[in-house]
Amino acid sequence: LNTINTNSYPVLIGKKCWGEMSRFIEQKFSGSKIIVVADSNTLLHCYPLLEDNCTVFLSAEVIEIPEGEENKNIDIAIGIWETLLQLEADRSSLIVNLGGGVVSDIGSFAASTYKRGIKFINIPTTLLAQVDASVGGKTGIDLNGIKNQIGTFCNPDAVFINPEFLNTLPAPQLLSGFAEVIKHALITDKNYWKYIISENPTEITDWEKLISQSVIIKNKIVTEDPYESGIRKLLNFGHTIGHAVESYSLETDNPLLHGEAIAIGMICESYISSKLCGLKEPELLEISNYISGLFEPYWLDETIYHKLLQLMMHDKKNENGKIYFSLIESIGSGIYGVSCNTDIITESLDFYKSITVTE
Ligand SMILES: NC(=O)c1ccc[n+]([C@@H]2O[C@H](COP(=O)([O-])OP(=O)(O)OC[C@H]3O[C@@H](n4cnc5c(N)ncnc54)[C@H](O)[C@@H]3O)[C@@H](O)[C@H]2O)c1
């Protein structure tokens, strides 16, 4: 069992975290009402594990929300608040968010606002939520289909990460979360990169080691810059182009998962790094060959380039109409705040095509 202490709460990682979780809840919340927020899938696949391993959950209430990003919205949040009222939850109650990033974002948002904020803990069940959403204190919902427009910064009391949950996670979801792991290595840690490229994500058995390393990296960055005024921007590597491709794909019959789009973004932005930040050609090829070997190729037709560029114009890092990127100078060394012209962005999309399309 691995414990990583953030500024305000512990993250416990390991197959043996059940015992610690029971003790934690019994010590801090004995006599409190415990309310689990789960989605339809995590209720089916993950909740039984909790009931089997932690007796405190035998008397818990459960709020089930429908699965999927389209449900991370204000109507579902209102549903959670109303159910909390019906269950007579008060400020001594504990919310337990059991699920991927959708459940932890909306459950934490509901908890952080209900009666001006009640305590919550997170039990992330997807790789993405374990390595990414588990630290940083961001909660939120989408508004009119635009992601994360409403939310709070609010920390849980604790996070318990059990890699066993990954056993039931569909393979594409696992790989999607792995994109963020790759990003953590590329922006901060060459040794970690060497370790991950020696592993096949579908055959990894020691998830504890990998999740711990990613949580350590993310925690270090968000502790230094909680509100994203500087170094936290590094976490956006791959995301300027990745988000544009993701948004575009969601309007088509072939929608991409978040990490699948970020994988494309990381290849393109590594190319831009080689043009603007001195990333050496062999490292560019090492990165792009590794990532393109893991993810299915995605067809980027030249006729959609202008749409992608338009979408990039809405990126949150932009200033004065310029597109700013978080890039890498070498593997393990990120840099943020690099502006890039549209010609190089276009070339980077061509580069992605050149390495993924086999004639
Ligand atoms: N707050 C943050 O810092 C932060 C960071 C990254 C992402 N996010 C948010 O996270 C969301 C994406 O998270 P996600 O990728 O975890 O998506 P998700 O929560 O939608 O989970 C993906 C799918 O897997 C299912 N699932 C979850 N755990 C399972 C398990 N163990 N076994 C079987 N099925 C399981 C879910 O029901 C869902 O269908 C986005 O809304 C994103 O904005 C937040």
Side-chain angles (χ1 to χ4, degrees), residues 6-10 97 108 111-112 118-122 133-139 152-159 219 222 226-227 232:
T6 72
N7 264 349
S8 64
Y9 63 94
N97 297 309
S108 306
S112 76
I118 63 174
K119 306 264 189 201
F120 62 97
I121 64 174
N122 289 339
S134 57
V135 273
K138 287 182 179 175
T139 86
T152 56
F153 276 100
C154 189
N155 283 318
D157 263 36
V159 174
N219 182 44
V222 301
Y227 299 110
R232 189 167 179 166

mmCIF file of all heavy atoms in Angstrom, residues 6-10 97 108 111-112 118-122 133-139 152-159 219 222 226-227 232:
data_model
loop_
_atom_site.group_PDB
_atom_site.id
_atom_site.type_symbol
_atom_site.label_atom_id
_atom_site.label_comp_id
_atom_site.label_asym_id
_atom_site.label_seq_id
_atom_site.Cartn_x
_atom_site.Cartn_y
_atom_site.Cartn_z
ATOM 1 N N THR A 6 -1.101 14.736 -0.167
ATOM 2 C CA THR A 6 -1.202 16.023 -0.848
ATOM 3 C C THR A 6 -1.213 17.086 0.246
ATOM 4 O O THR A 6 -1.142 16.757 1.431
ATOM 5 C CB THR A 6 -2.493 16.124 -1.680
ATOM 6 O OG1 THR A 6 -3.588 16.264 -0.780
ATOM 7 C CG2 THR A 6 -2.713 14.887 -2.545
ATOM 8 N N ASN A 7 -1.358 18.349 -0.142
ATOM 9 C CA ASN A 7 -1.406 19.427 0.852
ATOM 10 C C ASN A 7 -2.443 19.197 1.927
ATOM 11 O O ASN A 7 -2.244 19.541 3.070
ATOM 12 C CB ASN A 7 -1.768 20.745 0.145
ATOM 13 C CG ASN A 7 -0.517 21.507 -0.166
ATOM 14 O OD1 ASN A 7 0.543 21.143 0.330
ATOM 15 N ND2 ASN A 7 -0.635 22.554 -0.967
ATOM 16 N N SER A 8 -3.589 18.617 1.530
ATOM 17 C CA SER A 8 -4.662 18.566 2.520
ATOM 18 C C SER A 8 -5.283 17.189 2.732
ATOM 19 O O SER A 8 -6.111 17.041 3.613
ATOM 20 C CB SER A 8 -5.761 19.554 2.124
ATOM 21 O OG SER A 8 -6.323 19.168 0.909
ATOM 22 N N TYR A 9 -4.932 16.192 1.929
ATOM 23 C CA TYR A 9 -5.569 14.883 2.121
ATOM 24 C C TYR A 9 -4.652 13.768 1.622
ATOM 25 O O TYR A 9 -3.791 14.003 0.762
ATOM 26 C CB TYR A 9 -6.922 14.826 1.406
ATOM 27 C CG TYR A 9 -6.833 14.975 -0.105
ATOM 28 C CD1 TYR A 9 -6.764 13.861 -0.936
ATOM 29 C CD2 TYR A 9 -6.811 16.231 -0.700
ATOM 30 C CE1 TYR A 9 -6.679 13.991 -2.314
ATOM 31 C CE2 TYR A 9 -6.727 16.381 -2.076
ATOM 32 C CZ TYR A 9 -6.663 15.249 -2.869
ATOM 33 O OH TYR A 9 -6.576 15.389 -4.219
ATOM 34 N N PRO A 10 -4.846 12.560 2.151
ATOM 35 C CA PRO A 10 -4.027 11.445 1.682
ATOM 36 C C PRO A 10 -4.644 10.735 0.471
ATOM 37 O O PRO A 10 -5.864 10.666 0.346
ATOM 38 C CB PRO A 10 -4.021 10.496 2.890
ATOM 39 C CG PRO A 10 -5.326 10.768 3.569
ATOM 40 C CD PRO A 10 -5.706 12.188 3.288
ATOM 41 N N ASN A 97 -17.787 9.131 -3.608
ATOM 42 C CA ASN A 97 -17.931 9.086 -5.071
ATOM 43 C C ASN A 97 -17.226 7.850 -5.608
ATOM 44 O O ASN A 97 -16.003 7.750 -5.522
ATOM 45 C CB ASN A 97 -17.335 10.344 -5.690
ATOM 46 C CG ASN A 97 -18.072 11.585 -5.241
ATOM 47 O OD1 ASN A 97 -19.299 11.641 -5.332
ATOM 48 N ND2 ASN A 97 -17.353 12.563 -4.718
ATOM 49 N N SER A 108 -18.429 15.330 -6.507
ATOM 50 C CA SER A 108 -17.664 16.288 -5.699
ATOM 51 C C SER A 108 -18.294 17.678 -5.817
ATOM 52 O O SER A 108 -18.346 18.433 -4.845
ATOM 53 C CB SER A 108 -16.216 16.375 -6.175
ATOM 54 O OG SER A 108 -15.623 15.117 -6.220
ATOM 55 N N ALA A 111 -21.338 17.683 -3.641
ATOM 56 C CA ALA A 111 -20.957 17.700 -2.224
ATOM 57 C C ALA A 111 -20.401 19.063 -1.827
ATOM 58 O O ALA A 111 -20.687 19.572 -0.742
ATOM 59 C CB ALA A 111 -19.913 16.609 -1.950
ATOM 60 N N SER A 112 -19.632 19.684 -2.718
ATOM 61 C CA SER A 112 -18.967 20.940 -2.348
ATOM 62 C C SER A 112 -19.946 22.112 -2.306
ATOM 63 O O SER A 112 -19.603 23.191 -1.822
ATOM 64 C CB SER A 112 -17.812 21.246 -3.310
ATOM 65 O OG SER A 112 -18.307 21.713 -4.539
ATOM 66 N N ILE A 118 -20.332 19.713 2.039
ATOM 67 C CA ILE A 118 -20.200 18.627 3.003
ATOM 68 C C ILE A 118 -19.004 17.766 2.594
ATOM 69 O O ILE A 118 -18.485 17.877 1.481
ATOM 70 C CB ILE A 118 -21.505 17.783 3.135
ATOM 71 C CG1 ILE A 118 -21.854 17.089 1.819
ATOM 72 C CG2 ILE A 118 -22.667 18.647 3.604
ATOM 73 C CD1 ILE A 118 -23.043 16.129 1.947
ATOM 74 N N LYS A 119 -18.572 16.917 3.507
ATOM 75 C CA LYS A 119 -17.346 16.135 3.278
ATOM 76 C C LYS A 119 -17.567 15.066 2.208
ATOM 77 O O LYS A 119 -18.671 14.518 2.093
ATOM 78 C CB LYS A 119 -16.939 15.429 4.566
ATOM 79 C CG LYS A 119 -16.797 16.358 5.741
ATOM 80 C CD LYS A 119 -15.367 16.743 5.910
ATOM 81 C CE LYS A 119 -15.158 17.488 7.210
ATOM 82 N NZ LYS A 119 -13.946 18.283 7.168
ATOM 83 N N PHE A 120 -16.512 14.784 1.487
ATOM 84 C CA PHE A 120 -16.601 13.684 0.516
ATOM 85 C C PHE A 120 -15.260 12.999 0.362
ATOM 86 O O PHE A 120 -14.208 13.592 0.621
ATOM 87 C CB PHE A 120 -17.121 14.177 -0.848
ATOM 88 C CG PHE A 120 -16.253 15.195 -1.529
ATOM 89 C CD1 PHE A 120 -15.340 14.812 -2.510
ATOM 90 C CD2 PHE A 120 -16.344 16.548 -1.213
ATOM 91 C CE1 PHE A 120 -14.535 15.753 -3.156
ATOM 92 C CE2 PHE A 120 -15.540 17.491 -1.846
ATOM 93 C CZ PHE A 120 -14.638 17.092 -2.824
ATOM 94 N N ILE A 121 -15.318 11.719 -0.009
ATOM 95 C CA ILE A 121 -14.098 11.014 -0.402
ATOM 96 C C ILE A 121 -14.315 10.444 -1.803
ATOM 97 O O ILE A 121 -15.453 10.228 -2.231
ATOM 98 C CB ILE A 121 -13.694 9.882 0.588
ATOM 99 C CG1 ILE A 121 -14.745 8.777 0.633
ATOM 100 C CG2 ILE A 121 -13.437 10.418 1.970
ATOM 101 C CD1 ILE A 121 -14.317 7.581 1.494
ATOM 102 N N ASN A 122 -13.223 10.243 -2.515
ATOM 103 C CA ASN A 122 -13.315 9.708 -3.871
ATOM 104 C C ASN A 122 -12.690 8.322 -3.962
ATOM 105 O O ASN A 122 -11.602 8.090 -3.415
ATOM 106 C CB ASN A 122 -12.601 10.634 -4.864
ATOM 107 C CG ASN A 122 -13.364 11.940 -5.087
ATOM 108 O OD1 ASN A 122 -14.569 11.999 -4.823
ATOM 109 N ND2 ASN A 122 -12.688 12.966 -5.545
ATOM 110 N N ALA A 133 -7.864 12.629 -12.233
ATOM 111 C CA ALA A 133 -8.880 13.352 -11.459
ATOM 112 C C ALA A 133 -8.691 13.192 -9.949
ATOM 113 O O ALA A 133 -9.345 13.883 -9.169
ATOM 114 C CB ALA A 133 -10.274 12.877 -11.871
ATOM 115 N N SER A 134 -7.782 12.299 -9.539
ATOM 116 C CA SER A 134 -7.645 12.015 -8.102
ATOM 117 C C SER A 134 -6.960 13.130 -7.323
ATOM 118 O O SER A 134 -7.093 13.211 -6.112
ATOM 119 C CB SER A 134 -6.876 10.712 -7.910
ATOM 120 O OG SER A 134 -5.622 10.805 -8.549
ATOM 121 N N VAL A 135 -6.213 13.974 -8.012
ATOM 122 C CA VAL A 135 -5.587 15.121 -7.335
ATOM 123 C C VAL A 135 -5.829 16.401 -8.128
ATOM 124 O O VAL A 135 -6.008 16.371 -9.336
ATOM 125 C CB VAL A 135 -4.052 14.952 -7.152
ATOM 126 C CG1 VAL A 135 -3.706 14.222 -5.894
ATOM 127 C CG2 VAL A 135 -3.400 14.342 -8.347
ATOM 128 N N GLY A 136 -5.842 17.511 -7.406
ATOM 129 C CA GLY A 136 -5.991 18.799 -8.095
ATOM 130 C C GLY A 136 -7.204 19.579 -7.643
ATOM 131 O O GLY A 136 -7.289 20.783 -7.885
ATOM 132 N N GLY A 137 -8.169 18.917 -7.011
ATOM 133 C CA GLY A 137 -9.284 19.623 -6.388
ATOM 134 C C GLY A 137 -10.307 20.237 -7.326
ATOM 135 O O GLY A 137 -11.148 21.017 -6.903
ATOM 136 N N LYS A 138 -10.257 19.854 -8.620
ATOM 137 C CA LYS A 138 -11.253 20.428 -9.533
ATOM 138 C C LYS A 138 -12.541 19.598 -9.479
ATOM 139 O O LYS A 138 -12.499 18.380 -9.609
ATOM 140 C CB LYS A 138 -10.739 20.442 -10.968
ATOM 141 C CG LYS A 138 -9.664 21.484 -11.230
ATOM 142 C CD LYS A 138 -9.231 21.469 -12.698
ATOM 143 C CE LYS A 138 -8.187 22.512 -13.007
ATOM 144 N NZ LYS A 138 -7.677 22.417 -14.381
ATOM 145 N N THR A 139 -13.673 20.262 -9.318
ATOM 146 C CA THR A 139 -14.965 19.575 -9.403
ATOM 147 C C THR A 139 -15.744 20.267 -10.517
ATOM 148 O O THR A 139 -15.399 21.398 -10.877
ATOM 149 C CB THR A 139 -15.783 19.717 -8.101
ATOM 150 O OG1 THR A 139 -16.527 20.948 -8.145
ATOM 151 C CG2 THR A 139 -14.912 19.700 -6.858
ATOM 152 N N THR A 152 -16.147 24.043 -8.878
ATOM 153 C CA THR A 152 -15.480 24.622 -7.711
ATOM 154 C C THR A 152 -14.089 23.999 -7.601
ATOM 155 O O THR A 152 -13.828 22.964 -8.215
ATOM 156 C CB THR A 152 -16.253 24.266 -6.422
ATOM 157 O OG1 THR A 152 -16.371 22.832 -6.337
ATOM 158 C CG2 THR A 152 -17.654 24.862 -6.419
ATOM 159 N N PHE A 153 -13.224 24.635 -6.837
ATOM 160 C CA PHE A 153 -12.012 23.970 -6.389
ATOM 161 C C PHE A 153 -12.316 23.492 -4.976
ATOM 162 O O PHE A 153 -12.618 24.319 -4.105
ATOM 163 C CB PHE A 153 -10.822 24.940 -6.350
ATOM 164 C CG PHE A 153 -10.142 25.114 -7.681
ATOM 165 C CD1 PHE A 153 -10.408 26.208 -8.480
ATOM 166 C CD2 PHE A 153 -9.230 24.171 -8.135
ATOM 167 C CE1 PHE A 153 -9.773 26.376 -9.712
ATOM 168 C CE2 PHE A 153 -8.585 24.329 -9.360
ATOM 169 C CZ PHE A 153 -8.858 25.429 -10.142
ATOM 170 N N CYS A 154 -12.308 22.211 -4.749
ATOM 171 C CA CYS A 154 -12.638 21.707 -3.417
ATOM 172 C C CYS A 154 -12.013 20.320 -3.249
ATOM 173 O O CYS A 154 -12.189 19.458 -4.113
ATOM 174 C CB CYS A 154 -14.157 21.630 -3.268
ATOM 175 S SG CYS A 154 -14.687 21.262 -1.604
ATOM 176 N N ASN A 155 -11.279 20.116 -2.166
ATOM 177 C CA ASN A 155 -10.584 18.839 -1.988
ATOM 178 C C ASN A 155 -11.426 17.816 -1.238
ATOM 179 O O ASN A 155 -12.170 18.173 -0.327
ATOM 180 C CB ASN A 155 -9.287 19.065 -1.209
ATOM 181 C CG ASN A 155 -8.205 19.658 -2.085
ATOM 182 O OD1 ASN A 155 -8.046 19.246 -3.235
ATOM 183 N ND2 ASN A 155 -7.486 20.633 -1.571
ATOM 184 N N PRO A 156 -11.258 16.556 -1.598
ATOM 185 C CA PRO A 156 -11.895 15.495 -0.815
ATOM 186 C C PRO A 156 -11.167 15.325 0.520
ATOM 187 O O PRO A 156 -10.095 15.904 0.713
ATOM 188 C CB PRO A 156 -11.690 14.255 -1.690
ATOM 189 C CG PRO A 156 -10.474 14.552 -2.496
ATOM 190 C CD PRO A 156 -10.447 16.039 -2.711
ATOM 191 N N ASP A 157 -11.739 14.535 1.418
ATOM 192 C CA ASP A 157 -11.044 14.237 2.685
ATOM 193 C C ASP A 157 -9.988 13.154 2.477
ATOM 194 O O ASP A 157 -9.023 13.070 3.228
ATOM 195 C CB ASP A 157 -12.056 13.770 3.747
ATOM 196 C CG ASP A 157 -12.451 14.941 4.624
ATOM 197 O OD1 ASP A 157 -12.546 16.059 4.076
ATOM 198 O OD2 ASP A 157 -12.637 14.752 5.840
ATOM 199 N N ALA A 158 -10.209 12.332 1.475
ATOM 200 C CA ALA A 158 -9.231 11.282 1.155
ATOM 201 C C ALA A 158 -9.598 10.670 -0.195
ATOM 202 O O ALA A 158 -10.731 10.808 -0.662
ATOM 203 C CB ALA A 158 -9.236 10.185 2.219
ATOM 204 N N VAL A 159 -8.603 10.036 -0.816
ATOM 205 C CA VAL A 159 -8.856 9.299 -2.062
ATOM 206 C C VAL A 159 -8.294 7.890 -1.877
ATOM 207 O O VAL A 159 -7.179 7.723 -1.373
ATOM 208 C CB VAL A 159 -8.167 9.990 -3.263
ATOM 209 C CG1 VAL A 159 -8.302 9.155 -4.530
ATOM 210 C CG2 VAL A 159 -8.745 11.385 -3.489
ATOM 211 N N ASN A 219 0.547 15.519 -8.400
ATOM 212 C CA ASN A 219 0.460 16.204 -7.112
ATOM 213 C C ASN A 219 1.538 17.284 -6.984
ATOM 214 O O ASN A 219 1.282 18.387 -6.507
ATOM 215 C CB ASN A 219 0.588 15.182 -5.982
ATOM 216 C CG ASN A 219 0.467 15.837 -4.629
ATOM 217 O OD1 ASN A 219 -0.405 16.689 -4.425
ATOM 218 N ND2 ASN A 219 1.333 15.487 -3.711
ATOM 219 N N VAL A 222 0.416 20.296 -9.173
ATOM 220 C CA VAL A 222 -0.742 21.092 -8.710
ATOM 221 C C VAL A 222 -0.482 21.718 -7.339
ATOM 222 O O VAL A 222 -1.088 22.730 -6.995
ATOM 223 C CB VAL A 222 -2.077 20.299 -8.707
ATOM 224 C CG1 VAL A 222 -2.401 19.790 -10.084
ATOM 225 C CG2 VAL A 222 -2.058 19.165 -7.701
ATOM 226 N N PRO A 226 -1.735 25.612 -7.763
ATOM 227 C CA PRO A 226 -3.098 25.054 -7.665
ATOM 228 C C PRO A 226 -4.088 25.659 -8.660
ATOM 229 O O PRO A 226 -5.027 24.992 -9.078
ATOM 230 C CB PRO A 226 -3.517 25.334 -6.221
ATOM 231 C CG PRO A 226 -2.446 26.122 -5.581
ATOM 232 C CD PRO A 226 -1.267 26.186 -6.492
ATOM 233 N N TYR A 227 -3.920 26.937 -9.011
ATOM 234 C CA TYR A 227 -4.950 27.575 -9.844
ATOM 235 C C TYR A 227 -4.521 27.790 -11.302
ATOM 236 O O TYR A 227 -5.041 28.625 -12.013
ATOM 237 C CB TYR A 227 -5.405 28.898 -9.203
ATOM 238 C CG TYR A 227 -6.017 28.653 -7.841
ATOM 239 C CD1 TYR A 227 -5.360 29.048 -6.680
ATOM 240 C CD2 TYR A 227 -7.223 27.984 -7.714
ATOM 241 C CE1 TYR A 227 -5.900 28.788 -5.429
ATOM 242 C CE2 TYR A 227 -7.774 27.712 -6.469
ATOM 243 C CZ TYR A 227 -7.111 28.107 -5.324
ATOM 244 O OH TYR A 227 -7.649 27.844 -4.098
ATOM 245 N N ARG A 232 1.224 24.487 -13.820
ATOM 246 C CA ARG A 232 0.144 23.516 -14.014
ATOM 247 C C ARG A 232 -0.239 23.420 -15.488
ATOM 248 O O ARG A 232 -0.798 22.415 -15.935
ATOM 249 C CB ARG A 232 -1.067 23.875 -13.141
ATOM 250 C CG ARG A 232 -2.135 22.791 -13.118
ATOM 251 C CD ARG A 232 -3.176 22.987 -12.030
ATOM 252 N NE ARG A 232 -4.184 21.912 -12.088
ATOM 253 C CZ ARG A 232 -5.059 21.654 -11.132
ATOM 254 N NH1 ARG A 232 -5.071 22.357 -10.035
ATOM 255 N NH2 ARG A 232 -5.944 20.673 -11.269
#
